[in-house]
Structures are given as C-alpha cells and as structure tokens.
Amino acid sequence: YERGMIKLPEDQVIVRVAEARFLRALCYQELIQRHGGVILRLVDGGVDDDHKNDKARSTEAQSWDFVIKEYTEIANILPKEWPSADLGRITKGAVLGMKARASLYAERWDDAVSAASELFDLNKYSLQSGLTLAQYEQIFTNPESAELILPVFYQVGKKQHSWNTWVGPVSDARLATNSELGVG
C-alpha cells in the first residue's frame, strides 16, 4: 500500500484495516444501543451507489449481525498484545471484550459467553480483589494493569477531556493532577 511517501507492507495494512474496522463496528454498536437498527454503509468509496443515497435502516437483528461478525473476523487478525511502545492500540482482547458486550446487548447469550471465555483464555487479563484504596487507584494510573482491556490514554495538561470526572473513581481528578499519564 502506498499513499504519498508512506509505504506499508501488506501485513501492516491488514492490521491497520482491522483496527479501522474495529472502530467502525464500535461506532455502529453505540448507534444500535441507542437507536435500534441503523443504516449500514459498507461499500468502500462513499455512498453505496450514486443513484441510491436513500438506503433504508437495517433491522436491529441485521445491525447486530454485522457488528458481531466484524468483531469475530477482526479478533482473528489482531495480535494478543503490542510491544510497550504501542500500548493503547487495539488488541485481540479488546475486540473479544467488545464482542462480548455487543452480544449481551443483542441478547445473544451464547455468543457473549463464548467471547468472554476466549478473552479469559488469553491469560492476559485478570480482576483483582481485596485491594487497598492506593492499590485500587493504581489500576487507573498503571498503563499495564491486567484489568485494562481497552485503555484510553491521555496526557494531563494536553488536549484534555473531562469524561473521567463524571464516571471514573472519585480520586481520578486528584490523581490526574499528580501524574503525567492518565488512563481512562
């Protein structure tokens, strides 16, 4: 693949396309959760057809079929983990976690159990219990915490968001001011 001065080997293109497909599936998932069936635009290069820009909404079941199928295919492409320099990129675990969540919303219980089982079979993630407050806070400040499946990183003082103020642990605001790297 070549665009401008950037040349990527085919295997890297396949992974980058899978990451983009994950983001598309995640966006569709969020839309379906809020609105039911959605218009699925799946043809590369814009609207499905120059003469057909009034496509009907897919049913909710068809919409979930697409999202869950995408996650299934993507999970077979993306790696279990990235080198520490690439922390935050989409992994197989993140895909399986979102597939389990999508399956729950779609009320496809067997698919949810299957995806969650595959996720835990990766032996990369674990839930901690019996933590002190300080240990609990470290889950949100340690970018390599075993509890983080799909972390979102940001630098304090840089392009900031306030999402964690409302949905994160009470201590997040204090921690964010004392740390260079925030994890949400």
Side-chain angles (χ1 to χ4, degrees):
Y1 178 76
E2 184 176 337
R3 184 176 189 131
M5 301 300 283
I6 300 172
K7 295 181 182 180
L8 291 176
E10 184 65 27
D11 60 330
Q12 288 185 28
V13 171
I14 291 168
V15 169
R16 294 303 198 297
V17 169
E19 290 172 312
R21 287 173 61 195
F22 171 84
L23 294 173
R24 177 180 67 177
L26 180 61
C27 289
Y28 274 127
Q29 178 176 334
E30 293 294 320
L31 287 169
I32 299 163
Q33 286 173 223
R34 288 162 181 73
H35 306 291
V38 297
I39 299 171
L40 295 171
R41 298 282 185 195
L42 307 176
V43 176
D44 293 338
V47 178
D48 298 312
D49 181 313
D50 291 340
H51 304 289
K52 186 178 179 186
N53 56 7
D54 59 347
K55 186 174 182 177
R57 288 172 70 165
S58 299
T59 66
E60 187 170 348
Q62 290 168 329
S63 300
W64 283 122
D65 286 344
F66 170 74
V67 168
I68 292 168
K69 180 177 177 267
E70 277 290 275
Y71 287 146
T72 301
E73 291 176 8
I74 296 164
N76 294 320
I77 298 170
L78 294 177
K80 177 180 171 180
E81 61 187 345
W82 290 99
S84 58
D86 286 331
L87 276 178
R89 287 185 67 183
I90 309 300
T91 62
K92 180 176 189 155
V95 176
L96 292 171
M98 292 311 286
K99 179 182 175 184
R101 177 179 273 181
S103 298
L104 288 173
Y105 279 110
E107 298 181 3
R108 298 180 186 180
W109 315 122
D110 290 340
D111 289 340
V113 169
S114 175
S117 293
E118 282 185 71
L119 174 65
F120 284 108
D121 287 346
L122 294 175
N123 292 319
K124 181 170 174 31
Y125 308 101
S126 63
L127 299 174
Q128 302 174 34
S129 62
L131 302 176
T132 66
L133 179 60
Q135 291 169 325
Y136 176 74
E137 289 174 345
Q138 285 187 345
I139 293 170
F140 303 95
T141 58
N142 175 4
E144 297 191 38
S145 170
E147 288 205 14
L148 297 177
I149 298 174
L150 181 57
V152 177
F153 299 111
Y154 59 93
Q155 287 185 322
V156 176
K158 303 286 185 199
K159 191 173 185 178
Q160 193 74 24
H161 64 81
S162 61
W163 187 78
N164 281 358
T165 304
W166 306 109
V167 299
V170 176
S171 59
D172 260 12
R174 178 178 50 79
L175 289 170
T177 59
N178 297 328
S179 168
E180 283 296 311
L181 179 67
V183 181

